[in-house]
């Protein structure tokens, strides 16, 4: 079954597919476009590339970086270097396309670096917080 897309406002669309509705927010710059739907961010760098689902970077290595999924404003920084965090703790809250985007810890860790401040405009892929191994 085909999806039905209805423009609700500037950069805001209602998508209905198989009886399920979702609101999708879309933003575009010369560097690419971003869509935010159901807590996921999708990014396209150019018209020739397919969309890529973006998540905060958190590998299995001993350190990880939480990066901005799209251009945004930092609303709140909840951590400082040395803080220990648990899985799903909100580290930073961003605002993009009139939506708040909580950036969460991927697992237990210790904050090693905070590279953003409240009110700052950050670009896509900007490192917000670096995490090291969790406390023993």
């Amino acid at each position: 079954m085909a999806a039905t897309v209805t423009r609700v406002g500037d950069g805001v669309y209602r998508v209905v597919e198989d009886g399920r509705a979702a609101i999708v927010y879309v933003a575009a710059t010369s560097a690419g476009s971003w869509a935010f739907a159901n807590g996921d961010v999708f990014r396209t760098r150019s018209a020739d590339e397919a969309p890529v689902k973006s998540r905060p970077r958190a590998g299995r290595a001993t350190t990880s970086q939480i990066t901005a999924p799209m251009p945004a404003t930092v609303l709140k920084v909840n951590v400082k270097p040395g803080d220990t965090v648990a899985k799903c703790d909100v580290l930073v809250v961003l605002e993009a396309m009139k939506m708040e985007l909580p950036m969460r810890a991927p697992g237990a860790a210790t904050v090693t670096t905070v590279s953003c401040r409240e009110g700052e405009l950050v670009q896509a892929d900007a490192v917000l917080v670096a995490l090291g191994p969790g406390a023993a």
Side-chain angles (χ1 to χ4, degrees):
M1 175 177 217
T4 303
V5 179
T6 306
R7 183 174 181 267
V8 177
D10 289 340
V12 183
Y13 300 86
R14 183 172 190 265
V15 179
V16 179
E17 183 178 27
D18 295 331
R20 292 178 294 182
I23 299 295
V24 179
Y25 298 86
V26 179
T29 67
S30 60
S33 59
W34 293 262
F36 181 78
N38 296 327
D40 291 318
V41 177
F42 298 88
R43 178 177 179 189
T44 301
R45 293 179 194 242
S46 74
D48 298 334
E49 293 179 310
V52 176
K53 187 173 178 181
S54 176
R55 286 281 188 195
R57 295 202 174 142
R60 296 180 188 262
T62 57
T63 61
S64 62
Q65 295 179 334
I66 304 303
T67 60
M70 64 177 52
T73 300
V74 178
L75 286 183
K76 183 128 179 82
V77 177
N78 294 330
V79 294
K80 62 185 181 309
D83 286 353
T84 56
V85 296
K87 183 176 182 172
C88 294
D89 282 354
V90 176
L91 309 175
V92 175
V93 178
L94 301 177
E95 179 187 37
M97 301 179 295
K98 299 180 184 176
M99 296 238 359
E100 289 189 6
L101 304 169
M103 304 305 295
R104 299 179 185 275
T110 300
V111 176
T112 58
T113 308
V114 176
S115 303
C116 62
R117 63 185 184 284
E118 292 179 10
E120 180 180 14
L121 298 173
V122 294
Q123 295 302 312
D125 297 326
V127 175
L128 305 172
V129 177
L131 301 172

